[in-house]
Amino acid sequence: MKGSLIVVSAPSGAGKTSLTHAAIDRLAAINHDVTFSVSYTTRDPRPGEHDGQDYHFVSMDRFEAMIADGAFLEHAQVFDRRYGTGRQRTLEALDQGQDVVLDIDWQGAQQVRAAYPDAVLIYVLPPSVEILRERLAGRGQDSETVIARRMEAAAAEMSHWPEYDYVIVNDHFDTAVEDLVALLRAARLRRCQAQDGPVGALARTLAKNPSLP
Ligand code: 5GP
């Protein structure tokens, strides 16, 4: 059975990363085979980030060579940095029956939708503009101008939520995790995913024996 390609997008400050990691842990605990895609980026690592774990940190030259080789499933420019999802690793994981969660922006989501119409697109929204502002203001060390720029970027990103299949409002964290788990469980039960597995075997038997004893 092939895995499902799952896109999760959100503005920064919506809590997407903790949400997706918590959902993946919950699914792993019930043997739902799911993996988180590690993107390539040209930006520098932030404190606490590790190469190969949070991102594959690469130079602009390497990134451009990868584009030329067709090595990306999708890629985009976010602010002045480049981000992309590796094609080979993702397709191999799907072929092996693993669901793959891509934490990518709206530009990447549009490319995935065009190339893989069966992909499931999920948008995570913050509960309110006030709460988003509080989260983006961080520990009060940033200027009003910096916060205003972050709010503007968040608004531009959020304007794309109607292009997605599902929307989760990250109001109560545990409920939002449950919602995300439910969507990944449902994606796995779709007919297009199931037809190669036990459901397919049963369907083929039924087609050969329309009148079962
Ligand atoms: P950050 O630099 O804060 O980790 O990520 C900035 C933005 O880039 C986030 O919206 C994130 O979802 C997006 N992003 C991360 N990896 C990828 C990717 O591989 N492709 C695309 N299109 N966007 C990505």
Side-chain angles (χ1 to χ4, degrees):
M1 188 165 72
K2 273 190 86 155
S4 299
L5 192 53
I6 313 283
V7 170
V8 183
S9 301
S12 130
K16 170 182 57 170
T17 308
S18 343
L19 193 61
T20 40
H21 281 107
I24 287 175
D25 287 350
R26 285 267 302 275
L27 288 160
I30 54 168
N31 292 326
H32 181 129
D33 203 359
V34 55
T35 184
F36 190 77
S37 159
V38 178
S39 293
Y40 291 79
T41 184
T42 61
R43 81 155 165 77
D44 293 331
R46 296 188 186 124
E49 284 185 335
H50 299 287
D51 188 37
Q53 195 177 313
D54 301 282
Y55 281 104
H56 300 288
F57 295 98
V58 296
S59 66
M60 189 62 97
D61 285 350
R62 166 100 196 276
F63 196 92
E64 278 170 0
M66 288 181 74
I67 296 178
D69 287 347
F72 290 123
L73 190 91
E74 62 73 37
H75 61 90
Q77 183 157 341
V78 183
F79 304 110
D80 53 346
R81 304 297 186 196
R82 313 292 293 270
Y83 295 86
T85 304
R87 182 188 300 281
Q88 195 183 339
R89 167 79 191 88
T90 308
L91 297 184
E92 275 170 11
L94 293 173
D95 279 344
Q96 286 161 12
Q98 268 189 321
D99 291 349
V100 183
V101 176
L102 310 183
D103 168 347
I104 61 177
D105 81 326
W106 65 270
Q107 304 173 80
Q110 286 187 351
Q111 294 169 44
V112 169
R113 158 107 326 144
Y116 303 93
D118 287 339
V120 178
L121 271 53
I122 304 168
Y123 206 91
V124 178
L125 285 172
S128 69
V129 170
E130 290 72 29
I131 291 177
L132 180 68
R133 195 174 194 290
E134 264 170 41
R135 290 180 186 166
L136 291 181
R139 295 188 211 104
Q141 286 160 349
D142 299 310
S143 71
E144 277 302 312
T145 325
V146 170
I147 298 167
R149 212 179 304 135
R150 285 185 194 147
M151 286 297 281
E152 217 175 283
E157 166 63 50
M158 277 193 291
S159 69
H160 291 275
W161 73 266
E163 296 158 21
Y164 287 69
D165 299 311
Y166 298 98
V167 183
I168 294 177
V169 177
N170 190 7
D171 191 352
H172 301 288
F173 183 75
D174 290 345
T175 311
V177 173
E178 262 175 47
D179 289 344
L180 190 50
V181 167
L183 292 178
L184 269 91
R185 294 297 298 158
R188 176 152 291 201
L189 300 176
R190 289 180 304 170
R191 182 180 43 74
C192 63
Q193 297 306 122
Q195 62 201 6
D196 298 331
V199 176
L202 183 58
R204 284 188 290 279
T205 309
L206 284 173
K208 278 190 225 143
N209 307 288
S211 53
L212 288 175

PDB file of all heavy atoms in Angstrom, residues 10 16 39-40 43 46 55 74-76 78 83-85 103-105 107-108 157, ligand 1:
ATOM      1  N   ALA A  10       1.284  26.770   7.546  1.00  0.00           N
ATOM      2  CA  ALA A  10       0.792  27.675   8.590  1.00  0.00           C
ATOM      3  C   ALA A  10       1.661  28.908   8.591  1.00  0.00           C
ATOM      4  O   ALA A  10       2.808  28.843   8.149  1.00  0.00           O
ATOM      5  CB  ALA A  10       0.888  27.009   9.959  1.00  0.00           C
ATOM      6  N   LYS A  16       2.734  25.175  14.318  1.00  0.00           N
ATOM      7  CA  LYS A  16       2.683  24.028  13.400  1.00  0.00           C
ATOM      8  C   LYS A  16       3.712  22.940  13.730  1.00  0.00           C
ATOM      9  O   LYS A  16       3.399  21.752  13.675  1.00  0.00           O
ATOM     10  CB  LYS A  16       2.912  24.565  11.988  1.00  0.00           C
ATOM     11  CG  LYS A  16       3.139  23.548  10.923  1.00  0.00           C
ATOM     12  CD  LYS A  16       3.407  24.223   9.599  1.00  0.00           C
ATOM     13  CE  LYS A  16       4.580  25.172   9.650  1.00  0.00           C
ATOM     14  NZ  LYS A  16       5.005  25.663   8.324  1.00  0.00           N
ATOM     15  N   SER A  39      13.547  19.177   4.878  1.00  0.00           N
ATOM     16  CA  SER A  39      13.756  20.004   3.679  1.00  0.00           C
ATOM     17  C   SER A  39      15.215  20.425   3.521  1.00  0.00           C
ATOM     18  O   SER A  39      15.998  20.361   4.471  1.00  0.00           O
ATOM     19  CB  SER A  39      12.932  21.280   3.789  1.00  0.00           C
ATOM     20  OG  SER A  39      11.570  20.997   3.738  1.00  0.00           O
ATOM     21  N   TYR A  40      15.521  20.896   2.324  1.00  0.00           N
ATOM     22  CA  TYR A  40      16.817  21.550   2.061  1.00  0.00           C
ATOM     23  C   TYR A  40      16.591  23.048   2.161  1.00  0.00           C
ATOM     24  O   TYR A  40      15.550  23.554   1.741  1.00  0.00           O
ATOM     25  CB  TYR A  40      17.300  21.217   0.648  1.00  0.00           C
ATOM     26  CG  TYR A  40      17.693  19.768   0.501  1.00  0.00           C
ATOM     27  CD1 TYR A  40      16.730  18.781   0.330  1.00  0.00           C
ATOM     28  CD2 TYR A  40      19.031  19.395   0.571  1.00  0.00           C
ATOM     29  CE1 TYR A  40      17.086  17.451   0.221  1.00  0.00           C
ATOM     30  CE2 TYR A  40      19.401  18.058   0.456  1.00  0.00           C
ATOM     31  CZ  TYR A  40      18.428  17.090   0.288  1.00  0.00           C
ATOM     32  OH  TYR A  40      18.785  15.778   0.194  1.00  0.00           O
ATOM     33  N   ARG A  43      19.201  28.806   4.124  1.00  0.00           N
ATOM     34  CA  ARG A  43      19.391  29.699   5.275  1.00  0.00           C
ATOM     35  C   ARG A  43      20.343  29.060   6.289  1.00  0.00           C
ATOM     36  O   ARG A  43      20.555  27.845   6.269  1.00  0.00           O
ATOM     37  CB  ARG A  43      18.043  30.075   5.894  1.00  0.00           C
ATOM     38  CG  ARG A  43      17.422  29.069   6.825  1.00  0.00           C
ATOM     39  CD  ARG A  43      16.485  29.779   7.804  1.00  0.00           C
ATOM     40  NE  ARG A  43      15.587  28.882   8.512  1.00  0.00           N
ATOM     41  CZ  ARG A  43      15.965  28.116   9.533  1.00  0.00           C
ATOM     42  NH1 ARG A  43      17.224  28.051   9.926  1.00  0.00           N
ATOM     43  NH2 ARG A  43      15.054  27.369  10.132  1.00  0.00           N
ATOM     44  N   ARG A  46      19.640  27.940  12.892  1.00  0.00           N
ATOM     45  CA  ARG A  46      19.431  28.751  14.097  1.00  0.00           C
ATOM     46  C   ARG A  46      20.013  27.978  15.280  1.00  0.00           C
ATOM     47  O   ARG A  46      20.199  26.760  15.180  1.00  0.00           O
ATOM     48  CB  ARG A  46      17.920  28.954  14.330  1.00  0.00           C
ATOM     49  CG  ARG A  46      17.281  29.752  13.219  1.00  0.00           C
ATOM     50  CD  ARG A  46      15.832  30.117  13.563  1.00  0.00           C
ATOM     51  NE  ARG A  46      15.216  30.753  12.418  1.00  0.00           N
ATOM     52  CZ  ARG A  46      14.092  30.333  11.837  1.00  0.00           C
ATOM     53  NH1 ARG A  46      13.443  29.292  12.299  1.00  0.00           N
ATOM     54  NH2 ARG A  46      13.610  30.966  10.786  1.00  0.00           N
ATOM     55  N   TYR A  55      16.864  20.589   9.071  1.00  0.00           N
ATOM     56  CA  TYR A  55      16.977  20.867   7.632  1.00  0.00           C
ATOM     57  C   TYR A  55      18.273  20.236   7.145  1.00  0.00           C
ATOM     58  O   TYR A  55      19.162  19.927   7.947  1.00  0.00           O
ATOM     59  CB  TYR A  55      17.108  22.386   7.383  1.00  0.00           C
ATOM     60  CG  TYR A  55      15.818  23.164   7.437  1.00  0.00           C
ATOM     61  CD1 TYR A  55      15.500  23.956   8.541  1.00  0.00           C
ATOM     62  CD2 TYR A  55      14.924  23.136   6.369  1.00  0.00           C
ATOM     63  CE1 TYR A  55      14.316  24.697   8.580  1.00  0.00           C
ATOM     64  CE2 TYR A  55      13.742  23.878   6.407  1.00  0.00           C
ATOM     65  CZ  TYR A  55      13.440  24.645   7.512  1.00  0.00           C
ATOM     66  OH  TYR A  55      12.272  25.373   7.535  1.00  0.00           O
ATOM     67  N   GLU A  74       9.359  19.912  -4.917  1.00  0.00           N
ATOM     68  CA  GLU A  74       8.889  21.308  -5.000  1.00  0.00           C
ATOM     69  C   GLU A  74       9.968  22.158  -4.379  1.00  0.00           C
ATOM     70  O   GLU A  74      10.760  21.682  -3.575  1.00  0.00           O
ATOM     71  CB  GLU A  74       7.549  21.492  -4.269  1.00  0.00           C
ATOM     72  CG  GLU A  74       7.555  21.200  -2.770  1.00  0.00           C
ATOM     73  CD  GLU A  74       8.252  22.241  -1.914  1.00  0.00           C
ATOM     74  OE1 GLU A  74       8.139  23.437  -2.230  1.00  0.00           O
ATOM     75  OE2 GLU A  74       8.928  21.871  -0.955  1.00  0.00           O
ATOM     76  N   HIS A  75      10.017  23.420  -4.776  1.00  0.00           N
ATOM     77  CA  HIS A  75      10.942  24.337  -4.103  1.00  0.00           C
ATOM     78  C   HIS A  75      10.404  25.746  -4.217  1.00  0.00           C
ATOM     79  O   HIS A  75       9.582  26.038  -5.106  1.00  0.00           O
ATOM     80  CB  HIS A  75      12.359  24.233  -4.687  1.00  0.00           C
ATOM     81  CG  HIS A  75      12.448  24.589  -6.133  1.00  0.00           C
ATOM     82  ND1 HIS A  75      12.694  25.862  -6.575  1.00  0.00           N
ATOM     83  CD2 HIS A  75      12.281  23.828  -7.245  1.00  0.00           C
ATOM     84  CE1 HIS A  75      12.699  25.863  -7.890  1.00  0.00           C
ATOM     85  NE2 HIS A  75      12.437  24.648  -8.331  1.00  0.00           N
ATOM     86  N   ALA A  76      10.827  26.604  -3.298  1.00  0.00           N
ATOM     87  CA  ALA A  76      10.286  27.963  -3.275  1.00  0.00           C
ATOM     88  C   ALA A  76      11.259  28.905  -2.600  1.00  0.00           C
ATOM     89  O   ALA A  76      12.181  28.471  -1.906  1.00  0.00           O
ATOM     90  CB  ALA A  76       8.968  27.966  -2.508  1.00  0.00           C
ATOM     91  N   VAL A  78      11.332  31.794   0.178  1.00  0.00           N
ATOM     92  CA  VAL A  78      10.558  32.376   1.272  1.00  0.00           C
ATOM     93  C   VAL A  78      11.454  33.459   1.872  1.00  0.00           C
ATOM     94  O   VAL A  78      12.553  33.154   2.316  1.00  0.00           O
ATOM     95  CB  VAL A  78      10.187  31.311   2.337  1.00  0.00           C
ATOM     96  CG1 VAL A  78       9.315  31.927   3.432  1.00  0.00           C
ATOM     97  CG2 VAL A  78       9.471  30.114   1.714  1.00  0.00           C
ATOM     98  N   TYR A  83      14.026  27.112  -0.195  1.00  0.00           N
ATOM     99  CA  TYR A  83      13.632  25.903   0.530  1.00  0.00           C
ATOM    100  C   TYR A  83      13.150  24.880  -0.490  1.00  0.00           C
ATOM    101  O   TYR A  83      12.502  25.250  -1.465  1.00  0.00           O
ATOM    102  CB  TYR A  83      12.476  26.195   1.476  1.00  0.00           C
ATOM    103  CG  TYR A  83      12.785  27.154   2.604  1.00  0.00           C
ATOM    104  CD1 TYR A  83      12.684  28.532   2.424  1.00  0.00           C
ATOM    105  CD2 TYR A  83      13.175  26.674   3.855  1.00  0.00           C
ATOM    106  CE1 TYR A  83      12.960  29.418   3.457  1.00  0.00           C
ATOM    107  CE2 TYR A  83      13.449  27.549   4.898  1.00  0.00           C
ATOM    108  CZ  TYR A  83      13.344  28.921   4.694  1.00  0.00           C
ATOM    109  OH  TYR A  83      13.614  29.793   5.719  1.00  0.00           O
ATOM    110  N   GLY A  84      13.433  23.608  -0.267  1.00  0.00           N
ATOM    111  CA  GLY A  84      12.938  22.591  -1.192  1.00  0.00           C
ATOM    112  C   GLY A  84      12.813  21.223  -0.543  1.00  0.00           C
ATOM    113  O   GLY A  84      13.498  20.920   0.439  1.00  0.00           O
ATOM    114  N   THR A  85      11.918  20.429  -1.107  1.00  0.00           N
ATOM    115  CA  THR A  85      11.692  19.055  -0.632  1.00  0.00           C
ATOM    116  C   THR A  85      12.389  18.090  -1.579  1.00  0.00           C
ATOM    117  O   THR A  85      12.143  18.141  -2.794  1.00  0.00           O
ATOM    118  CB  THR A  85      10.174  18.746  -0.650  1.00  0.00           C
ATOM    119  OG1 THR A  85       9.501  19.713   0.138  1.00  0.00           O
ATOM    120  CG2 THR A  85       9.881  17.349  -0.126  1.00  0.00           C
ATOM    121  N   ASP A 103       6.306  19.993   5.809  1.00  0.00           N
ATOM    122  CA  ASP A 103       6.029  21.266   6.478  1.00  0.00           C
ATOM    123  C   ASP A 103       6.547  22.352   5.534  1.00  0.00           C
ATOM    124  O   ASP A 103       7.717  22.716   5.569  1.00  0.00           O
ATOM    125  CB  ASP A 103       6.778  21.239   7.818  1.00  0.00           C
ATOM    126  CG  ASP A 103       6.840  22.590   8.509  1.00  0.00           C
ATOM    127  OD1 ASP A 103       6.531  23.626   7.878  1.00  0.00           O
ATOM    128  OD2 ASP A 103       7.210  22.615   9.691  1.00  0.00           O
ATOM    129  N   ILE A 104       5.676  22.805   4.629  1.00  0.00           N
ATOM    130  CA  ILE A 104       6.124  23.724   3.565  1.00  0.00           C
ATOM    131  C   ILE A 104       5.151  24.892   3.435  1.00  0.00           C
ATOM    132  O   ILE A 104       4.053  24.846   3.982  1.00  0.00           O
ATOM    133  CB  ILE A 104       6.284  22.989   2.204  1.00  0.00           C
ATOM    134  CG1 ILE A 104       4.964  22.403   1.733  1.00  0.00           C
ATOM    135  CG2 ILE A 104       7.343  21.896   2.313  1.00  0.00           C
ATOM    136  CD1 ILE A 104       5.046  21.723   0.368  1.00  0.00           C
ATOM    137  N   ASP A 105       5.540  25.910   2.705  1.00  0.00           N
ATOM    138  CA  ASP A 105       4.695  27.096   2.579  1.00  0.00           C
ATOM    139  C   ASP A 105       3.669  26.925   1.447  1.00  0.00           C
ATOM    140  O   ASP A 105       3.637  25.885   0.777  1.00  0.00           O
ATOM    141  CB  ASP A 105       5.560  28.347   2.374  1.00  0.00           C
ATOM    142  CG  ASP A 105       6.005  28.489   0.925  1.00  0.00           C
ATOM    143  OD1 ASP A 105       6.230  27.461   0.262  1.00  0.00           O
ATOM    144  OD2 ASP A 105       6.116  29.630   0.450  1.00  0.00           O
ATOM    145  N   GLN A 107       3.453  28.219  -1.480  1.00  0.00           N
ATOM    146  CA  GLN A 107       3.973  28.072  -2.853  1.00  0.00           C
ATOM    147  C   GLN A 107       4.279  26.603  -3.132  1.00  0.00           C
ATOM    148  O   GLN A 107       3.966  26.066  -4.194  1.00  0.00           O
ATOM    149  CB  GLN A 107       5.256  28.881  -3.032  1.00  0.00           C
ATOM    150  CG  GLN A 107       5.126  30.347  -2.701  1.00  0.00           C
ATOM    151  CD  GLN A 107       6.488  31.034  -2.734  1.00  0.00           C
ATOM    152  OE1 GLN A 107       6.992  31.366  -3.797  1.00  0.00           O
ATOM    153  NE2 GLN A 107       7.096  31.214  -1.577  1.00  0.00           N
ATOM    154  N   GLY A 108       4.919  25.956  -2.143  1.00  0.00           N
ATOM    155  CA  GLY A 108       5.230  24.534  -2.260  1.00  0.00           C
ATOM    156  C   GLY A 108       3.946  23.711  -2.327  1.00  0.00           C
ATOM    157  O   GLY A 108       3.832  22.768  -3.102  1.00  0.00           O
ATOM    158  N   GLU A 157       0.874  34.867   4.188  1.00  0.00           N
ATOM    159  CA  GLU A 157       0.870  33.390   4.169  1.00  0.00           C
ATOM    160  C   GLU A 157      -0.557  32.874   4.418  1.00  0.00           C
ATOM    161  O   GLU A 157      -1.069  32.030   3.680  1.00  0.00           O
ATOM    162  CB  GLU A 157       1.878  32.888   5.221  1.00  0.00           C
ATOM    163  CG  GLU A 157       1.822  31.416   5.604  1.00  0.00           C
ATOM    164  CD  GLU A 157       2.125  30.432   4.487  1.00  0.00           C
ATOM    165  OE1 GLU A 157       3.142  30.583   3.801  1.00  0.00           O
ATOM    166  OE2 GLU A 157       1.315  29.492   4.317  1.00  0.00           O
TER     167      GLU A 157
HETATM  168  P1  5GP B   1      11.861  28.614   8.701  1.00  0.00           P
HETATM  169  O1  5GP B   1      13.019  29.269   8.034  1.00  0.00           O
HETATM  170  O2  5GP B   1      11.223  29.505   9.743  1.00  0.00           O
HETATM  171  O3  5GP B   1      12.206  27.253   9.239  1.00  0.00           O
HETATM  172  O4  5GP B   1      10.752  28.366   7.583  1.00  0.00           O
HETATM  173  C1  5GP B   1      10.211  29.439   6.862  1.00  0.00           C
HETATM  174  C2  5GP B   1       9.070  28.950   5.986  1.00  0.00           C
HETATM  175  O5  5GP B   1       9.578  28.069   4.972  1.00  0.00           O
HETATM  176  C3  5GP B   1       7.984  28.152   6.718  1.00  0.00           C
HETATM  177  O6  5GP B   1       6.720  28.632   6.258  1.00  0.00           O
HETATM  178  C4  5GP B   1       8.184  26.736   6.234  1.00  0.00           C
HETATM  179  O7  5GP B   1       6.971  25.998   6.213  1.00  0.00           O
HETATM  180  C5  5GP B   1       8.706  26.973   4.831  1.00  0.00           C
HETATM  181  N1  5GP B   1       9.448  25.804   4.341  1.00  0.00           N
HETATM  182  C6  5GP B   1      10.293  25.002   5.016  1.00  0.00           C
HETATM  183  N2  5GP B   1      10.761  24.027   4.240  1.00  0.00           N
HETATM  184  C7  5GP B   1      10.181  24.195   3.020  1.00  0.00           C
HETATM  185  C8  5GP B   1      10.254  23.487   1.782  1.00  0.00           C
HETATM  186  O8  5GP B   1      10.956  22.481   1.615  1.00  0.00           O
HETATM  187  N3  5GP B   1       9.531  23.985   0.741  1.00  0.00           N
HETATM  188  C9  5GP B   1       8.756  25.097   0.865  1.00  0.00           C
HETATM  189  N4  5GP B   1       8.050  25.471  -0.197  1.00  0.00           N
HETATM  190  N5  5GP B   1       8.643  25.789   2.022  1.00  0.00           N
HETATM  191  C10 5GP B   1       9.356  25.343   3.084  1.00  0.00           C
END
